[in-house]
Amino acid sequence: MQTELLPVTPESLARAGSLIRAGALVAFPTETVYGLGANALDADAVGRIFAAKGRPGDNPLIVHISAPDQLPPLIASDPSPAAKALMAACWPGPMTLIFPKSPAVPEAVTAGLSTVAVRYPGHPSARALIDAARRPIAAPSANRSGRPSPTTARHVMEDMEGRIPLILDGGPCAVGLESTVIDVTGDTPRVLRPGGVTPERIAEICGGVAVDDAVLRPLKAGERPRSPGMKYRHYAPTGALTIVRGEPDAVIDRIRRLYDDALEAGSRPLILALEGHIPAYGDRRALSLGPDAAAMAHAIFARLRDADALNADAIFSEATDATGVGLAVMNRLERAAGFHVVEV
Ligand code: AMP
Ligand code: MG
């Protein structure tokens, strides 16, 4: 299959809309990461997403809508007061809510769960695609399963060329990390996957928040997480990634030694560091993650892909505090590292 890469125009949107209606897949930009979309109400089309990504069948998809009035047909009961408050404050935007599902949503979308994940994205091109398709669109991140999520159309091309007919290019994604996934089926909203909408912000809006304890630790053997996606070794580069955490001076010192040892052992090491720390690594090969946690959120997946492109086989990354958007950054980075963290 030829994969076309087109800028977002009225013509490409119309073509993308008819592809979606015909059961085909289209990759498209959102404010979080690029999505791989199919008609959410067509089980066969949804099956093609799992095939193109190599995604395990028990990992459910997020359904994207382009207006709040598209929500009721997808869910089984009225949203809770907390859900309504979150929707009013954070939609459209990088926030996904989990509701009891209506029978209209195929089991293929929810991987057999009785709940459905719904997002109303902020990116105008994402909404324009849903409008053009005149269908809700089921879409996970547009990477091959296990690879870092794509934050540019070129990343999507790397993973999906020959597997899908069309990629809409809307430039780099603003947030750079996937949406915050919040279970609103109970009284207190529970963060299942951290993202751009932080627990601090959710508590402000709802008066309370729980963060699933699987967010910052590996799962135990046989554990069934509330968010099935937590089970998989996500976001990983090919090279072995180690996170070094602690006071900045100690971190820099340790990473220098780990790098030098790796080089001496014949490896091709690479450092991922905060912008202000780059000079401290001298002529060692180091890429910047930007000046702060928000910049790291934006840069992290692209730098992990860069690490692969540079053939790095031993990657040493600095950490950030797991507060605010830093929680989401560390959730992805620790999974990418297979929880290999050195504390100094
Ligand atoms: P992706 O956008 O590809 O990174 O994947 C969607 C994420 O949403 C995965 O982590 C899923 O586990 C999660 N998700 C989707 N539907 C549900 C659901 N009904 N309950 C809990 N988590 C879900
Ligand atoms: Mg994903």
Side-chain angles (χ1 to χ4, degrees):
M1 185 186 298
Q2 274 277 87
T3 301
E4 263 193 290
L5 178 64
L6 297 175
V8 180
T9 61
E11 294 72 36
S12 66
L13 282 168
R15 199 166 127 55
S18 50
L19 281 168
I20 296 276
R21 281 195 300 282
L25 306 185
V26 174
F28 62 100
T30 81
E31 70 275 30
T32 57
V33 301
Y34 273 74
L36 182 60
N39 177 0
L41 305 178
D42 175 347
D44 292 334
V46 166
R48 289 184 192 107
I49 294 179
F50 287 86
K53 278 182 66 94
R55 182 175 177 104
D58 63 353
N59 193 4
L61 308 178
I62 295 170
V63 179
H64 294 71
I65 57 177
S66 59
D69 64 4
Q70 296 162 15
L71 176 65
L74 303 174
I75 65 180
S77 51
D78 231 21
S80 66
K84 285 182 179 151
L86 287 167
M87 289 189 275
C90 301
W91 269 3
M95 177 185 78
T96 297
L97 298 180
I98 307 286
F99 300 97
K101 96 177 198 40
S102 87
V105 181
E107 300 252 311
V109 172
T110 61
L113 295 176
S114 61
T115 51
V116 61
V118 184
R119 183 159 95 85
Y120 172 22
H123 199 296
S125 301
R127 295 210 301 261
L129 173 64
I130 300 163
D131 287 340
R134 303 192 299 273
R135 312 275 186 282
I137 292 186
S141 48
N143 51 289
R144 297 264 293 141
S145 209
R147 293 262 293 149
S149 294
T151 54
T152 66
R154 186 178 52 80
H155 295 160
V156 180
M157 197 55 132
E158 281 170 17
D159 282 18
M160 290 296 156
E161 187 166 19
R163 296 174 170 267
I164 63 174
L166 177 60
I167 301 170
L168 294 176
D169 186 349
C173 300
V175 178
L177 289 181
E178 302 86 347
S179 58
T180 307
V181 176
I182 311 170
D183 183 342
V184 288
T185 59
D187 291 335
T188 305
R190 174 183 288 270
V191 176
L192 303 185
R193 176 176 76 182
V197 174
T198 62
E200 292 85 341
R201 179 86 182 103
I202 299 165
E204 244 172 61
I205 296 163
C206 300
V209 64
V211 177
D212 204 73
D213 79 332
V215 160
L216 279 182
R217 63 165 172 81
L219 293 171
K220 298 172 193 123
E223 181 177 353
R224 286 175 56 104
R226 286 196 177 81
S227 178
M230 294 280 222
K231 225 172 20 189
Y232 300 100
R233 181 164 181 252
H234 263 320
Y235 321 116
T238 309
L241 173 62
T242 302
I243 300 168
V244 183
R245 182 160 54 203
E247 287 306 314
D249 287 345
V251 166
I252 291 168
D253 185 60
R254 178 64 69 90
I255 288 182
R256 282 188 197 132
R257 281 191 283 134
L258 286 167
Y259 181 105
D260 294 346
D261 290 350
L263 197 63
E264 200 166 298
S267 296
R268 291 178 302 276
L270 176 71
I271 296 166
L272 303 179
L274 284 167
E275 195 161 287
H277 297 171
I278 296 282
Y281 292 109
D283 57 8
R284 296 173 184 85
R285 195 163 63 156
L287 301 179
S288 171
L289 294 169
D292 54 26
M296 279 174 91
H298 190 77
I300 190 70
F301 288 137
R303 292 298 86 75
L304 293 175
R305 281 177 181 264
D306 290 344
D308 278 352
L310 291 167
N311 278 319
D313 53 11
I315 308 159
F316 305 104
S317 179
E318 297 185 352
T320 184
D321 288 342
T323 57
V325 74
L327 178 68
V329 172
M330 291 315 296
N331 168 268
R332 306 305 193 280
L333 199 55
E334 292 192 4
R335 279 177 168 67
F339 293 92
H340 189 216
V341 182
V342 175
E343 308 277 356
V344 294

